[in-house]
Amino acid sequence: MVHADPNFGPNEMRNYLKVTGWTPVSGGDVAELWSLPGPADEVVLVPMKAGAPDFGKRTQILLADLARIEASDLTAVHDAVATVFNDVTDLRASHPSMSDGSIPLEAGYELFISAKRLRVASAAATIRRQGHFRNFPTRAREQAREVRLGQTRRGSYIVPIISQARSPEDVYSPGQEYIEVGVEETLFDRRVTATMSRALGILEDMANAEREPTPSEISDSIGEGVSYELCTALSKVVNTDSVGSLDVSFNWSRVTAPPPGTPPRVEFNQAAIDIVDRVSAQLKTRVYTSRHLIYGIVTDLSRHPEDETGRVGVQTLIKRRSRTVWMDLLDSDYHTAIQCHDAGVPVRVQGVLTSPPGGQARMQVDDFGPDPSLPAVQTQ
């Protein structure tokens, strides 16, 4: 049963119709007609006045029409429209003994708590690559308060984590001269989800390999966002007596392409968690040098023809305030910086960040390139 007052507006409905093949044919401020090409010649009405007395009723009619045309459940269509601008990460706990869609209290508690732990650990790794976070960055802890949990769904036991996403054409323009705080806040959510997906994918690959992961492979996994805290969050769910396995599905927003290199689904059973626990133990006891990550846009470029490096300014958010971070880049990275600046493509920079209060922020760069959390961008 879908609630009479939808938790979305005309913008979500119009974008959902657009990505599912519909096109507008006529309309105005009050309503629009959209058609679906094909032999049935389907037409639906989209109410455009969210404050109108009949908005809820008209929306229900639209959802019912879409459910009929798509041969889908009404609630599923409602959720798809409501989350068209969101990434939805489904955590599913399962066990052969679960037959009625319910879950024991202890297992449910661990699942909800681990949803928070997974998100915070992934947010921390989005800010700083580190094998063991004894203290999470403030921005990472805030992530658990900013994402939402959807209604639990049947299908063993599913807890949806709902986070923001954004269409790439709504981000930045070529030659952009400054970042927009609102855009960066939204993109941070997408970056955290991408980090979680890649890190869990790396752990799943380790667990499914025919041999134990080597110390070098474990060290390299930190660069993909794996941490002691992420491993622990997984372990606590699957080690609960009433849970046989945990799988995580990433349902990326339909208004933008999935980040490249992210698995759509990962699964961990008890045998996999045994490997994860061994990885976790090594991450906790070893000392690794942390590396900062910044995200933003290239706003300044300067280079003398005879110099081996070029000076680049990347505008980013540091403690949620706009700052320009300066760096010296070698020829190939400097060329990439020019391309990203000219195309309006956000960048991700990894290295050692020095940001004194009131002073100039600088970074000694280990890695520079287009932001991998966003759809792949072709550069020449």
Side-chain angles (χ1 to χ4, degrees), residues 176-376:
Q176 184 88 16
E177 296 182 355
Y178 56 88
I179 61 173
E180 297 179 9
V181 174
V183 170
E184 287 300 310
E185 294 287 2
T186 299
L187 289 178
F188 183 74
D189 280 359
R190 161 54 70 98
R191 289 162 180 152
V192 171
T193 309
T195 298
M196 182 191 298
S197 178
R198 291 195 186 98
L200 293 180
I202 292 294
L203 285 173
E204 184 186 51
D205 289 343
M206 288 181 176
N208 292 335
E210 296 181 354
R211 56 173 177 79
E212 292 276 326
T214 66
S216 176
E217 288 170 336
I218 293 175
S219 179
D220 290 344
S221 75
I222 297 173
E224 295 296 335
V226 175
S227 67
Y228 165 78
E229 288 73 17
L230 188 82
C231 295
T232 301
L234 288 174
S235 180
K236 284 185 177 294
V237 176
V238 182
N239 282 333
T240 305
D241 290 339
S242 51
V243 173
S245 66
L246 173 72
D247 70 64
V248 184
S249 300
F250 296 92
N251 307 294
W252 303 100
S253 166
R254 300 181 73 165
V255 299
T256 183
T262 53
R265 178 180 177 274
V266 294
E267 182 174 3
F268 299 89
N269 56 22
Q270 186 58 63
I273 289 300
D274 288 343
I275 300 296
V276 171
D277 285 342
R278 290 198 278 278
V279 172
S280 175
Q282 293 197 44
L283 291 173
K284 185 178 182 180
T285 57
R286 294 188 179 192
V287 177
Y288 295 92
T289 302
S290 65
R291 286 292 182 268
H292 292 90
L293 294 173
I294 64 169
Y295 307 82
I297 59 171
V298 176
T299 55
D300 295 271
L301 295 155
S302 63
R303 182 183 181 184
H304 191 276
E306 298 179 359
D307 290 343
E308 294 183 355
T309 63
R311 191 165 187 256
V312 173
V314 173
Q315 196 171 110
T316 185
L317 292 185
I318 298 178
K319 296 183 178 180
R320 294 191 157 181
R321 292 187 177 182
S322 177
R323 294 281 300 276
T324 298
V325 178
W326 296 94
M327 58 201 71
D328 296 318
L329 300 181
L330 294 172
D331 184 70
S332 60
D333 284 344
Y334 188 78
H335 184 61
T336 300
I338 293 174
Q339 293 177 322
C340 290
H341 171 268
D342 292 348
V345 174
V347 297
R348 184 188 75 178
V349 193
Q350 177 175 296
V352 179
L353 176 66
T354 304
S355 179
Q360 190 177 78
R362 294 192 58 83
M363 177 170 270
Q364 183 178 342
V365 177
D366 295 333
D367 183 68
F368 183 97
D371 182 357
S373 308
L374 305 178

Side-chain angles (χ1 to χ4, degrees), residues 130-191:
Q130 195 167 313
H132 180 18
F133 292 90
R134 291 170 178 81
N135 294 294
F136 283 126
T138 301
R139 183 70 182 89
R141 293 196 302 270
E142 291 171 346
Q143 177 71 187
R145 296 195 294 268
E146 293 170 358
V147 297
R148 295 176 292 136
L149 282 179
Q151 293 289 333
T152 55
R153 298 200 291 268
R154 297 179 70 89
S156 294
Y157 195 82
I158 298 174
V159 174
I161 304 174
I162 302 171
S163 58
Q164 297 183 93
R166 195 178 183 92
S167 178
E169 59 265 27
D170 295 333
V171 181
Y172 291 124
S173 303
Q176 184 88 16
E177 296 182 355
Y178 56 88
I179 61 173
E180 297 179 9
V181 174
V183 170
E184 287 300 310
E185 294 287 2
T186 299
L187 289 178
F188 183 74
D189 280 359
R190 161 54 70 98
R191 289 162 180 152

Side-chain angles (χ1 to χ4, degrees), residues 73-93:
D73 178 73
L74 181 60
T75 300
V77 174
H78 173 276
D79 292 347
V81 175
T83 59
V84 71
F85 292 122
N86 298 118
D87 296 325
V88 181
T89 305
D90 286 334
L91 275 64
R92 183 172 73 97

Side-chain angles (χ1 to χ4, degrees), residues 54-65:
D54 64 344
F55 179 77
K57 178 180 178 180
R58 296 297 178 186
T59 300
Q60 291 299 319
I61 295 173
L62 171 62
L63 293 177
D65 286 341

